[in-house]
Amino acid sequence: MFSKVLIANRGEIALRILRACKELGIQTVAVHSTADADAMHVRLADESVCIGPPSARDSYLHIPALVAACEITGAEAVHPGYGFLSENARFADILQAHGIAFVGPSPEHIRLMGDKIEAKRTAVSLGIPVVPGSDGGIETDAEAHRVADEIGYPVLVKAAAGGGGRGMKVARTPAELEFALANARAEAQSAFGDASVYLEKYLATPRHIEIQVLGDGQGNAIHLGERDCSLQRRHQKVWEEARSPALNDDARAEIGETVAAAMRKMRYSGAGTIEFLYENGAFYFIEMNTRLQVEHPVTEMITGIDIVHEQIRVASGSTLSLTQDDVQFDGHAIECRINAEDPRTFMPSPGRISHFHTPGGLGVRVDSAVYQGYLIPPYYDSLIGKLIVHGRNRVECLMRLRRCLDEFVVDGINTTIPLFRQLVDHPDIADGSYDIHWLEAYLAEST
Ligand code: ADP
């Protein structure tokens, strides 16, 4: 096991990882930009290193500063969290070259899954069902038209290097396809420096269902069931639950085993998430994330398994400490992502938190790194915390969530808490009958 780990992240996830390290008896090193000198992850870590100015490019994304921080402090491993360098194969390569462990999969697997075209090809070869679409990238408009005619409209143009819903455009007709291609290519080029795109059938009413996996790179891999992340705004998850209201035990076991078998075949190491769209009883792979996800706590709440503990153990060379039979699903969990944003316009709302009170009680978890008096800097994403609630079943979970949302106080800034107060009382949410377009339609109607 490692004796010292550097956490290459900030905010709630830095604190989350720090907690896991402390439980495992591992010393922690926090890194921070000058804007984050007062951050909670810095206060709670055993050591901290300032790695640069506020701009993420010059701090949290600045690889030489992170390697230097490891050298100075003697950290043996880096946990990248999510976002920033978590899916950067070059970073994993560089750490390896310096004899520092990366808490994540091999650089080859990061690279493979980071290219969505390659990822889809790999999925097919591993027996995972995919969304019908182009067989690889689309080079010319003529090729796009041919594929679109074949799979039928509407179609979705997607960026090979995509992420965060960027570089994704729907086309409902051949005329729209020309625009969609041009827009997606331009957006992909400016966001990722790579204009390659591919085509997929646009599914009309799917749910987003993803499977959490853990592998040890030594041929063992298990699944921890699914998360339903269908409530999205601009392709970004807002509310996540486990288990999915749409799956029964048989469907869960079947897709879970398909994915775990694929991970065993790949000799995948670490935590990963295989994302699917689910429509009319069928699963369609869309991508794999080779890192810890924002929404991992809902899985932890229903399995009792600490995913970060397992990531760290596996990265230090241990085999998985769990078998599939050790994974039992208990009850229901829901996570609400609390953003410092206006709940109607979603405009960011940085500033000072004048009053902060978090809910508590049985089955309640708040993952947040903010505190009363904390000044939210304007440079980073607007997630300030996650409210995760567990109940013996979905009805109890919703009752508890409603109570927690009433109790939650964040004054001085705008947050998305009022939106969740509306959602928790909506009949479609109560009966679990929503697809990936539901939230956008609800927001359009209610404004
Ligand atoms: P990103 O990497 O940018 O997050 P994903 O491929 O994971 O992109 O897709 C993000 C979201 O976009 C999905 O959760 C879903 O809401 C929507 N989406 C992706 N592919 C399709 C599709 N073929 N049909 C309909 N919606 C899709």
Side-chain angles (χ1 to χ4, degrees), residues 34-366:
T34 50
D36 277 339
D38 292 331
M40 193 56 98
H41 75 281
V42 177
R43 294 185 182 193
L44 293 183
D46 296 302
E47 288 169 77
S48 64
V49 180
C50 180
I51 50 165
S55 149
R57 210 188 42 187
D58 300 321
S59 53
Y60 298 102
L61 293 171
H62 190 45
I63 296 176
L66 289 160
V67 173
C70 288
E71 302 282 352
I72 293 164
T73 56
E76 304 152 77
V78 171
H79 195 308
Y82 53 67
F84 294 133
L85 295 169
S86 60
E87 289 177 299
N88 186 310
R90 204 175 127 252
F91 182 48
D93 273 333
I94 291 171
L95 290 178
Q96 215 169 46
H98 283 78
I100 301 161
F102 177 74
V103 181
S106 66
E108 293 72 37
H109 283 161
I110 299 174
R111 221 166 251 128
L112 180 68
M113 293 301 170
D115 180 332
K116 297 173 93 172
I117 295 172
E118 280 307 313
K120 230 175 141 176
R121 270 205 197 108
T122 308
V124 172
S125 73
L126 292 169
I128 296 175
V130 302
V131 188
S134 55
D135 179 23
I138 289 282
E139 301 297 335
T140 63
D141 286 15
E143 191 184 347
H145 280 290
R146 204 167 46 244
V147 175
D149 287 342
E150 216 174 277
I151 59 178
Y153 286 89
V155 296
L156 193 60
V157 183
K158 297 175 84 170
R166 281 169 302 176
M168 212 186 294
K169 301 286 166 207
V170 188
R172 295 178 193 281
T173 60
E176 277 183 24
L177 183 57
E178 311 268 328
F179 282 108
L181 284 164
N183 284 340
R185 284 192 186 115
E187 206 171 299
Q189 180 63 41
S190 77
F192 314 110
D194 174 1
S196 340
V197 295
Y198 62 106
L199 218 64
E200 237 169 39
K201 172 96 192 143
Y202 179 73
L203 300 177
T205 58
R207 299 181 78 109
H208 174 115
I209 296 183
E210 58 187 34
I211 310 289
Q212 174 71 56
V213 291
L214 285 173
D216 61 12
Q218 304 180 44
N220 304 305
I222 57 171
H223 73 88
L224 304 185
E226 83 283 11
R227 293 184 286 261
D228 192 317
C229 314
S230 301
L231 288 175
Q232 301 181 352
R233 179 179 167 269
R234 299 197 173 162
H235 305 303
Q236 298 275 12
K237 299 160 190 169
V238 170
W239 155 311
E240 302 99 347
E241 30 188 317
R243 301 164 244 186
S244 168
L247 287 196
N248 60 30
D249 289 346
D250 287 345
R252 170 175 310 107
E254 192 184 328
I255 189 69
E257 191 38 44
T258 301
V259 167
M263 294 303 112
R264 284 194 283 274
K265 232 187 260 174
M266 273 177 79
R267 299 183 86 78
Y268 185 77
S269 176
T273 301
I274 325 295
E275 297 191 338
F276 293 95
L277 295 177
Y278 179 74
E279 193 174 68
N280 301 326
F283 283 95
Y284 304 95
F285 170 88
I286 46 174
E287 70 164 340
M288 175 170 185
N289 292 313
T290 53
R291 55 167 166 82
L292 188 65
Q293 306 246 141
V294 177
E295 60 273 23
H296 76 278
V298 290
T299 301
E300 296 184 326
M301 294 294 260
I302 64 158
T303 61
I305 294 166
D306 188 309
I307 295 173
V308 181
H309 281 188
E310 294 305 317
Q311 283 189 296
I312 295 172
R313 283 201 187 103
V314 163
S316 74
S318 300
T319 51
L320 272 188
S321 69
L322 301 155
T323 65
Q324 194 64 55
D325 287 343
D326 294 327
V327 183
Q328 300 294 328
F329 304 108
D330 170 32
H332 195 90
I334 296 176
E335 172 181 279
C336 297
R337 294 192 190 196
I338 301 186
N339 289 345
E341 286 171 359
D342 184 292
R344 285 170 308 275
T345 62
F346 298 95
M347 289 295 286
S349 175
R352 192 170 301 279
I353 296 178
S354 57
H355 192 72
F356 189 66
H357 171 80
T358 56
L362 179 65
V364 181
R365 167 173 172 181
V366 178

